[in-house]
Amino acid sequence: MLRNYLTTALRNFIRQPIYSAINVSGLVLGLASSIFIFLWVIDELSYDRYHKENDRVFKIMQNHLYSDGRLTTDDWTNGLLGEGLKAELPEIEEVMRLSWSETKLFSFGEIANYEYGDYADQSIFSLFNIALIEGDHSHALPDNNSVAISKKMAIRYFKNEKALGKVFRVDNTRDLTVTAVFEDRPKNSSYEFEFILPFEIYIRNEFTGSLAEWDGSGWLTTFVKLKQKDMQQQVDSKIADFIKKNQKASSSPPPPPFLFSMTEWRLRNNFVNAKQSGGRITYVISFTVVAIFILVIACINFMNLSTARSANRSREVGIRKVAGASRSVLIRQFLIESVLLSFLSLLFALMIVHALLPMFNSFTEKNMRIDYMNPAVTSSLLGIALLVGVIAGSYPAFFLSSFRPSSVLKGNLQSTFGGANLRKGLVVFQFGLALIIIACTLVVYDQISFIRNKDLGFDKDNVITLKTNEELYNSYEAFRNELLQSPNVMSVAVGAAHPMEINGEGYYDWEGKSDDDDTFFNQASCDYDYLETMGFTFVLGRNFSKQFLADSASFIITEEAARRIGFSNPLGRHIKLQNFDGQIIGVIKDFNNLSIQEASQPTVFSLGRTHEELGRWAGIFIRYEPGKLTEALDYLRGVYKKNAPRFPIQYGFVDQSFEHQFKSELIIGTLSFCFTIIAIIISCLGLFGLASFSAERRSKEIGVRKVLGASVTGLVVLLCRDFTRLIVYGIIVGSPFAYYLMDQFLSRYPYHTDLNLSMFLIPAVSMLLISLSIISYQSIKAAMGNPVDALRGE
C-alpha cells in the first residue's frame, strides 16, 4: 500500500513539473530559512548552559535610587558583600569576586602580546566549572605571584611545551608564574578571558577606590553558588535584611540587591525600574516568530496550489472511490504526498544550509553546526518536516477526498472549484504577514541609521585612540610635541577615557543642595587639549587653559549637569567633590557618554595630568587630517617606538568603538532583511502559481471575450483585479499589527526615529508592484493567446 502511495505521488509530481517545482521551491526556502533561524536561536539559548550546575550559580545585582527618581540596576557590588553573605547565610556554598576585564601586556622571551583577562578569587574555577589542563583546582592561584592562562594563550607563548612554572613579565613591571592552564572558554559563555590573576592583587595594587567600606564604590561583580537551586527567593530575602543591617540607613532606600541566575545572564539582562525588561530574549522570540511566519507562508502556498489544482485530480478521486477507496484512504494518500514533498524539500534545504553555513557563521560571529549525531537535532529536523507536510497537506487532503464520484465522473466539476474563499483568505493572510515582516525590518534599519547618524555632542571621526603605559607617561610631552610636527596630525590629548566610555562616578556638593539630593554625576579627568581634540561644543564659558593657574581646581560641566545642579548661570559657581572644591569655568553641549541607547548623563570634567589623576584606563587621543590615516599611522608608529620601545603599540579608533555598540543590532537588522527578502520570494512564488492557474482555468472565458472584441488591456485588468484586491486587503490587515509592534520596539530607546507613513507605504507599494508584475505577466500571456486554441474543444 505504501509503495502504491509513493508511486502515485511521484507520478503526480512528474506530471505537473511547474507546480511541483513551485511547491518544492517555496518549502525549500522556508525550511532553509527556518533552519538558519533556529540554529541562531539555539545558539543564543545555549549561552551559559554548558555549566552542569548553572541553575545554582547567580550574580548579585545592585539597585541604585537617585533623588531625581531614576532607578538603575547593575552588577557592581562592594568588596565586603560576598564574604559577608557567605559568613551569614548558610544557603550559600561558594562566593567569588570578579573584576572588570582589561588588557595587560604579557611578555615571554621575544613574544609580547596584549591579553584580555580578569582578577578573580580562587573559587572561580569551581563556580564557573572551568576545567584545568595543567595545575590543581584547589591551588590554581596559590599566591599573588601566580597567573592562570587559557590553553590558547599557552600554545601562543609556549607551543607544545608545558606551561606550568613558566614566568611571564606583565606590563613590564612584575613577574608572574603560570600555576594553571585552563580549557578555552566556550564561545557561548557570557564571560570570556585569556588569563586570571589573584583578586588580592586587584585589592592591593590595582584598585584605587574603596573595597573595604559598605557604602564604598565597588568596581567588581560578586557571584554566589547556592547549595540548592530552589533557595533563590529565600536568599534574596536574607540579602535584603543583611544589607539593611550593614549599610547606613536612608530615608528612601533603593530596592535591595537580588540574585540573577546564570541561565538569564545572556538573554534577560535589561532592567527598568529594578525589574527585568527583556534583553536578547526579545530578538530570540522575534526571530522564532519570523521563522514560523516564513513556514506558514510556505504552507499557504502549498495549500493554495493544491486546492487550486483540484480539477486535475478530480477524476482520479472519483475513480478511486468507485473502486472502493474510502475517504480515509484518500486522505492518507494526499497527506503522504505532501509529507513526501516536505521531506524532499528538507533534503534540498539542508544542502543549502551546509553550503551557506560557513558564510552565516562568519557574519554572525558564531560557530554553529548541525549535529546529526544528536538525537534531539535529528528528531527536530524530521519533526519540522513532518509537521510542515501535515499542515500544508491537511486541508488539500480533506478537500480533495470530499469530491463526489457521481459529479466528477459526469464532468460536473463545479464542486472542484470550491474553497475559493479559503484560498482568498490565505492569500490575504500571507501578504499580511509579509507586510509585517517588511515594515518591521524597515523600522529597525531606520532606527539603527537614526542612532548612527545622531549628533553625539562630539566629533567621533578621524580620532586614533592609543593605550597608555608607563613609558608614554614619562615622555608624554616629548611624544606629543613630536607627533604635532607631522602635518597629518591636528591635535593630541590625553584623557581618562574616550567620550562613550566615561563611567567614573561622583556625588558633588554645591551651595543650596538639599540634603536628600544624591544626584549622580559621571566624571573624568583630562588635559588641556582633550575637549578640543574630541570636538566638544562649548555653550558657555571656556576650555581649560595653561594661562590660568586656577584651572587646576576648576570644572567644566555638561548642560545636563547644569540642569541637575539648578544654577541659572553656572559660570563661576563652586561645586565640591569630597575635599576638591572648584569653580565651573565652562559648559559643554550634552553628549552620549556611555551608550547611545541611553539618555545623556550629567558629566563633570576636571583637569588631570598625571597617571594617578587620569586613572588606570586613560588613553591618548590623536586627531588626524581627514583622508590621511595611513600617513598618520605610519608616523605614529615611528614616534611611539622611539618613546615606548618596551611596549607594543595598541591603538583603535573612536568611531570603531561607537560602531561596536551597534554590532549586534546591525547583525540582527541584516538577518531580518535577508529573511524578509525570502518571505517576499516565497509569497511571490505562490502568487505566480495561482496567477498561472487562474489564467489557465479562465482560458475559455478569455477566448470568448476576445472573439467578442475584448482588448488585451481590458483582459489584463480583468485578470489582475481579483488578485490586486486580495493583496490590498493583506496590506490593510497587516499594517496595524506592524505599527503596534514597531511602536513597542521604539519605545525602548530614549532616542528613536518616529514612525511615519512611508515606513508602511514603501513596503505596501513595493509588494503591490512586485505582485502586479507577476500577475500581469501571466495575464498578458493568457490575453495574447490565440482564442481558437482555447475554444477548439467546444
Side-chain angles (χ1 to χ4, degrees):
M1 181 63 73
L2 181 59
R3 179 181 178 183
N4 180 52
Y5 288 158
L6 295 176
T7 303
T8 304
L10 183 60
R11 287 173 180 170
N12 187 57
F13 296 158
I14 296 173
R15 191 178 299 120
Q16 302 180 58
I18 294 177
Y19 295 99
S20 297
I22 290 174
N23 267 340
V24 170
S25 299
L27 288 178
V28 166
L29 286 175
L31 286 168
S33 302
S34 299
I35 291 171
F36 276 123
I37 292 174
F38 287 135
L39 284 174
W40 184 87
V41 167
I42 290 170
D43 184 81
E44 289 292 319
L45 293 175
S46 72
Y47 267 73
D48 303 313
R49 302 301 175 109
Y50 62 89
H51 195 303
K52 62 183 179 182
E53 296 174 328
N54 57 38
D55 56 354
R56 292 203 288 136
V57 178
F58 301 81
K59 66 178 172 181
I60 299 178
M61 304 299 290
Q62 188 90 29
N63 293 305
H64 307 275
L65 177 65
Y66 303 102
S67 56
D68 58 2
R70 220 165 22 100
L71 185 60
T72 63
T73 304
D74 55 50
D75 58 6
W76 303 344
T77 58
N78 67 62
L80 298 177
L81 181 61
E83 292 301 322
L85 289 176
K86 186 176 181 181
E88 293 278 340
L89 275 62
E91 296 86 353
I92 294 178
E93 180 179 306
E94 259 183 322
V95 170
M96 186 266 291
R97 295 168 297 177
L98 188 72
S99 72
W100 277 24
S101 298
E102 58 181 284
T103 57
K104 287 190 170 295
L105 177 63
F106 278 74
S107 304
F108 182 80
E110 299 298 318
I111 306 173
N113 294 298
Y114 287 101
E115 307 291 351
Y116 186 77
D118 300 90
Y119 296 90
D121 288 318
Q122 167 77 36
S123 52
I124 188 174
F125 297 97
S126 55
L127 195 136
F128 274 5
N129 196 31
I130 300 175
L132 293 187
I133 301 171
E134 298 181 43
D136 179 13
H137 258 102
S138 58
H139 297 90
L141 296 171
D143 55 52
N144 290 345
N145 296 314
S146 58
V147 60
I149 63 174
S150 68
K151 176 183 178 182
K152 182 166 55 179
M153 188 171 164
I155 293 173
R156 184 158 54 244
Y157 288 91
F158 311 121
K159 308 303 181 187
N160 296 322
E161 297 179 16
K162 288 282 186 182
L164 218 61
K166 297 289 197 303
V167 179
F168 278 114
R169 187 70 175 168
V170 179
D171 286 339
N172 285 318
T173 58
R174 63 181 304 163
D175 294 327
L176 295 177
T177 303
V178 178
T179 52
V181 177
F182 54 86
E183 286 284 1
D184 295 331
R185 300 292 289 156
K187 284 291 184 181
N188 57 348
S189 173
S190 295
Y191 290 90
E192 297 183 36
F193 37 78
E194 296 298 327
F195 67 84
I196 302 171
L197 292 172
F199 199 80
E200 288 299 318
I201 300 179
Y202 186 63
I203 296 174
R204 296 179 183 180
N205 302 330
E206 300 286 350
F207 191 75
T208 56
S210 173
L211 294 177
E213 297 177 7
W214 281 107
D215 296 291
S217 301
W219 301 100
L220 61 99
T221 305
T222 302
F223 299 82
V224 300
K225 183 177 181 180
L226 303 184
K227 292 180 179 177
Q228 295 180 21
K229 63 181 179 181
D230 56 358
M231 290 179 170
Q232 180 178 357
Q233 291 185 343
Q234 180 181 349
V235 172
D236 277 344
S237 177
K238 289 190 174 184
I239 289 177
D241 295 335
F242 181 78
I243 293 295
K244 187 175 181 180
K245 182 176 68 175
N246 286 281
Q247 288 190 342
K248 294 178 182 177
S250 171
S251 58
S252 56
F258 60 93
L259 300 182
F260 188 39
S261 174
M262 174 185 270
T263 58
E264 298 183 331
W265 292 349
R266 170 75 172 183
L267 298 175
R268 294 180 173 86
N269 58 358
N270 282 6
F271 292 86
V272 175
N273 294 324
K275 295 181 180 179
Q276 274 186 354
S277 179
R280 290 186 71 85
I281 189 65
T282 303
Y283 294 128
V284 169
I285 294 173
S286 299
F287 271 109
T288 302
V289 171
V290 168
I292 294 171
F293 277 7
I294 289 175
L295 284 177
V296 168
I297 291 172
C299 289
I300 288 173
N301 278 356
F302 188 96
M303 290 181 185
N304 277 339
L305 289 176
S306 296
T307 55
R309 299 291 297 175
S310 58
N312 293 347
R313 304 197 67 180
S314 59
R315 296 188 187 277
E316 174 194 340
V317 172
I319 293 172
R320 284 181 179 274
K321 282 194 170 184
V322 169
S326 65
R327 189 179 182 190
S328 61
V329 171
L330 292 172
I331 289 174
R332 277 201 302 273
Q333 166 69 45
F334 295 125
L335 281 177
I336 286 175
E337 286 185 15
S338 65
V339 170
L340 179 63
L341 192 65
S342 180
F343 277 104
L344 181 64
S345 302
L346 175 65
L347 181 62
F348 287 125
L350 289 173
M351 291 179 182
I352 292 174
V353 170
H354 278 285
L356 299 180
L357 193 55
M359 186 188 305
F360 188 71
N361 278 333
S362 175
F363 176 72
T364 57
E365 297 183 348
K366 293 181 179 291
N367 188 27
M368 297 173 288
R369 64 187 183 90
I370 302 177
D371 183 10
Y372 294 107
M373 301 304 294
N374 187 336
V377 173
T378 306
S379 59
S380 296
L381 289 173
L382 296 178
I384 290 173
L386 180 62
L387 183 63
V388 168
V390 171
I391 292 175
S394 58
Y395 178 75
F398 284 98
F399 177 73
L400 292 171
S401 64
S402 67
F403 295 161
R404 295 179 179 177
S406 58
S407 298
V408 296
L409 293 178
K410 286 179 182 179
N412 181 10
L413 303 181
Q414 186 64 31
S415 65
T416 64
F417 298 128
N421 288 334
L422 177 64
R423 285 198 298 276
K424 290 177 181 178
L426 290 175
V427 170
V428 170
F429 183 64
Q430 183 181 43
F431 278 90
L433 290 181
L435 178 107
I436 291 173
I437 296 174
I438 298 169
C440 291
T441 300
L442 282 179
V443 173
V444 170
Y445 259 104
D446 197 55
Q447 172 63 13
I448 294 173
S449 177
F450 174 83
I451 294 177
R452 292 177 72 185
N453 296 304
K454 179 184 176 294
D455 181 7
L456 300 176
F458 64 95
D459 185 0
K460 70 182 188 319
D461 298 319
N462 307 314
V463 180
I464 301 169
T465 64
L466 191 64
K467 181 178 173 66
T468 57
N469 54 61
E470 179 187 355
E471 289 184 333
L472 275 186
Y473 270 117
N474 292 337
S475 61
Y476 175 70
E477 285 301 322
F479 174 74
R480 174 180 176 275
N481 291 334
E482 190 168 356
L483 281 179
L484 290 174
Q485 293 177 12
S486 169
N488 300 313
V489 175
M490 300 173 64
S491 60
V492 181
V494 63
H498 85 57
M500 296 199 73
E501 291 182 351
I502 293 176
N503 49 34
E505 64 176 12
Y507 294 91
Y508 288 78
D509 291 315
W510 58 85
E511 183 182 351
K513 180 182 178 181
S514 62
D515 294 336
D516 60 350
D517 187 340
D518 58 351
T519 300
F520 164 88
F521 289 84
N522 282 345
Q523 64 177 17
S525 298
C526 61
D527 71 352
Y528 295 101
D529 305 295
Y530 176 84
L531 296 175
E532 180 183 352
T533 298
M534 297 309 306
F536 285 95
T537 302
F538 278 81
V539 294
L540 287 173
R542 61 173 177 82
N543 194 1
F544 298 116
S545 174
K546 294 179 180 178
Q547 297 178 4
F548 299 93
L549 295 179
D551 279 3
S552 60
S554 298
F555 297 107
I556 294 174
I557 65 176
T558 61
E559 294 172 293
E560 180 63 23
R563 283 191 289 270
R564 298 286 181 92
I565 292 172
F567 295 154
S568 57
N569 182 7
L571 295 183
R573 304 297 292 266
H574 280 251
I575 58 176
K576 182 179 179 181
L577 175 66
Q578 296 175 348
N579 296 323
F580 186 74
D581 190 335
Q583 68 172 347
I584 299 170
I585 62 171
V587 179
I588 59 173
K589 186 177 178 181
D590 284 333
F591 68 98
N592 291 94
N593 52 341
L594 282 177
S595 169
I596 192 67
Q597 299 176 12
E598 298 178 14
S600 298
Q601 298 300 313
T603 306
V604 176
F605 288 96
S606 59
L607 193 61
R609 287 154 294 181
T610 66
H611 197 172
E612 290 73 21
E613 291 173 338
L614 291 166
R616 59 189 301 193
W617 288 291
I620 295 173
F621 301 86
I622 303 159
R623 180 169 291 280
Y624 60 89
E625 288 284 351
K628 298 294 184 179
L629 174 60
T630 302
E631 294 85 345
L633 277 177
D634 288 341
Y635 186 75
L636 169 63
R637 291 187 184 99
V639 177
Y640 181 94
K641 189 173 183 180
K642 184 190 302 183
N643 287 273
R646 295 189 303 150
F647 291 85
I649 189 170
Q650 186 181 26
Y651 62 87
F653 303 91
V654 172
D655 55 354
Q656 282 186 355
S657 178
F658 172 77
E659 291 290 331
H660 183 73
Q661 290 198 22
F662 310 106
K663 201 170 189 178
S664 177
E665 282 79 5
L666 285 171
I667 291 173
I668 297 294
T670 305
L671 290 179
S672 300
F673 177 77
C674 294
F675 295 131
T676 297
I677 297 298
I678 290 171
I680 294 172
I681 292 173
I682 295 173
S683 299
C684 291
L685 278 173
L687 191 62
F688 177 85
L690 281 178
S692 176
F693 166 74
S694 178
E696 181 182 328
R697 183 166 69 87
R698 301 178 70 176
S699 60
K700 287 185 172 59
E701 175 192 346
I702 294 170
V704 171
R705 288 180 180 274
K706 287 196 73 173
V707 169
L708 294 177
S711 65
V712 172
T713 302
L715 290 171
V716 170
V717 171
L718 176 69
L719 294 171
C720 290
R721 184 174 56 201
D722 289 341
F723 283 110
T724 303
R725 188 184 298 121
L726 296 178
I727 295 166
V728 171
Y729 289 159
I731 291 169
I732 293 172
V733 169
S735 295
F737 289 100
Y739 181 89
Y740 173 77
L741 291 173
M742 289 301 95
D743 184 60
Q744 294 296 307
F745 170 76
L746 293 177
S747 66
R748 299 162 46 204
Y749 297 90
Y751 307 107
H752 59 77
T753 186
D754 296 320
L755 291 175
N756 56 69
L757 185 62
S758 65
M759 294 177 177
F760 304 94
L761 196 60
I762 291 174
V765 172
S766 300
M767 283 173 54
L768 201 56
L769 290 176
I770 294 171
S771 302
L772 279 175
S773 64
I774 294 170
I775 301 167
S776 298
Y777 168 77
Q778 294 291 351
S779 301
I780 292 171
K781 182 179 176 182
M784 295 184 67
N786 190 341
V788 174
D789 296 331
L791 300 175
R792 183 176 295 159
E794 293 297 316

